[in-house]
Amino acid sequence: TFYIFKAGVFSGSTDPSVWLSTGLNNYSTNFSKDEFDLIRVWAPADLVCFSVPLYLRLPVRHVVSFVWTAYLSFARGGH
Protein backbone atom coordinates (compact mmCIF):
# COMPACT_ATOMS: atom_id res chain seq x y z
CA THR A 1 0.00 0.00 0.00
CA PHE A 2 2.97 2.35 0.58
CA TYR A 3 4.05 2.21 -3.05
CA ILE A 4 0.51 2.48 -4.42
CA PHE A 5 -0.25 5.47 -2.19
CA LYS A 6 3.05 7.09 -3.22
CA ALA A 7 2.19 6.53 -6.89
CA GLY A 8 -1.24 8.05 -6.33
CA VAL A 9 0.27 11.18 -4.81
CA PHE A 10 3.23 11.68 -7.14
CA SER A 11 2.24 10.15 -10.49
CA GLY A 12 0.29 13.16 -11.74
CA SER A 13 -2.45 10.86 -12.99
CA THR A 14 -6.02 10.60 -11.78
CA ASP A 15 -6.37 7.02 -13.04
CA PRO A 16 -6.18 4.48 -10.19
CA SER A 17 -5.01 1.76 -12.59
CA VAL A 18 -1.88 3.84 -13.25
CA TRP A 19 -1.33 4.16 -9.50
CA LEU A 20 -1.71 0.42 -9.08
CA SER A 21 0.63 -0.53 -11.93
CA THR A 22 3.27 2.03 -10.91
CA GLY A 23 3.05 1.05 -7.26
CA LEU A 24 3.32 -2.67 -7.96
CA ASN A 25 6.23 -2.08 -10.33
CA ASN A 26 8.10 -0.09 -7.65
CA TYR A 27 7.25 -2.74 -5.07
CA SER A 28 8.66 -5.54 -7.21
CA THR A 29 11.79 -3.50 -7.94
CA ASN A 30 12.51 -2.86 -4.25
CA PHE A 31 11.19 -6.15 -2.87
CA SER A 32 14.47 -7.87 -1.93
CA LYS A 33 15.98 -4.84 -0.18
CA ASP A 34 12.71 -4.01 1.60
CA GLU A 35 12.23 -7.59 2.79
CA PHE A 36 15.80 -7.77 4.09
CA ASP A 37 15.28 -4.52 5.99
CA LEU A 38 11.89 -5.69 7.24
CA ILE A 39 13.38 -8.86 8.75
CA ARG A 40 16.28 -6.86 10.20
CA VAL A 41 13.86 -4.51 11.98
CA TRP A 42 10.85 -6.65 12.86
CA ALA A 43 12.57 -9.85 14.05
CA PRO A 44 14.37 -8.09 16.94
CA ALA A 45 11.34 -5.85 17.50
CA ASP A 46 9.11 -8.90 17.96
CA LEU A 47 11.57 -10.35 20.46
CA VAL A 48 11.56 -7.10 22.42
CA CYS A 49 7.81 -6.67 22.12
CA PHE A 50 7.05 -10.06 23.58
CA SER A 51 9.72 -9.69 26.27
CA VAL A 52 8.32 -6.53 27.84
CA PRO A 53 5.42 -6.55 30.31
CA LEU A 54 1.97 -6.85 28.83
CA TYR A 55 1.05 -3.21 29.38
CA LEU A 56 4.09 -2.08 27.31
CA ARG A 57 3.56 -4.32 24.29
CA LEU A 58 1.23 -2.02 22.42
CA PRO A 59 3.34 1.14 22.92
CA VAL A 60 6.50 -0.74 21.89
CA ARG A 61 4.76 -2.04 18.77
CA HIS A 62 3.54 1.46 17.88
CA VAL A 63 6.99 2.99 18.28
CA VAL A 64 8.62 0.33 16.11
CA SER A 65 5.86 0.69 13.52
CA PHE A 66 6.33 4.46 13.43
CA VAL A 67 10.10 4.11 13.04
CA TRP A 68 9.66 1.49 10.31
CA THR A 69 7.21 3.69 8.38
CA ALA A 70 9.50 6.71 8.75
CA TYR A 71 12.49 4.69 7.53
CA LEU A 72 10.57 3.35 4.54
CA SER A 73 9.34 6.83 3.74
CA PHE A 74 12.82 8.36 3.92
CA ALA A 75 14.46 5.48 2.03
CA ARG A 76 11.85 5.13 -0.72
CA GLY A 77 9.89 8.37 -0.58
CA GLY A 78 11.99 10.44 -2.98
CA HIS A 79 10.92 10.95 -6.53
Side-chain angles (χ1 to χ4, degrees):
T1 56
F2 170 79
Y3 291 107
I4 295 171
F5 183 77
K6 179 184 167 200
V9 171
F10 293 113
S11 70
S13 173
T14 57
D15 184 12
S17 65
V18 171
W19 305 344
L20 184 65
S21 64
T22 304
L24 291 176
N25 184 32
N26 289 340
Y27 173 74
S28 64
T29 301
N30 298 324
F31 179 79
S32 61
K33 170 109 174 66
D34 288 347
E35 288 301 309
F36 177 73
D37 291 341
L38 183 133
I39 291 169
R40 219 171 42 166
V41 169
W42 282 104
D46 282 340
L47 289 173
V48 170
C49 182
F50 291 108
S51 299
V52 298
L54 187 59
Y55 66 91
L56 288 176
R57 287 184 185 172
L58 200 56
V60 168
R61 177 65 69 181
H62 289 315
V63 168
V64 173
S65 181
F66 175 78
V67 170
W68 170 250
T69 304
Y71 165 75
L72 191 62
S73 193
F74 285 123
R76 302 282 184 232
H79 300 307

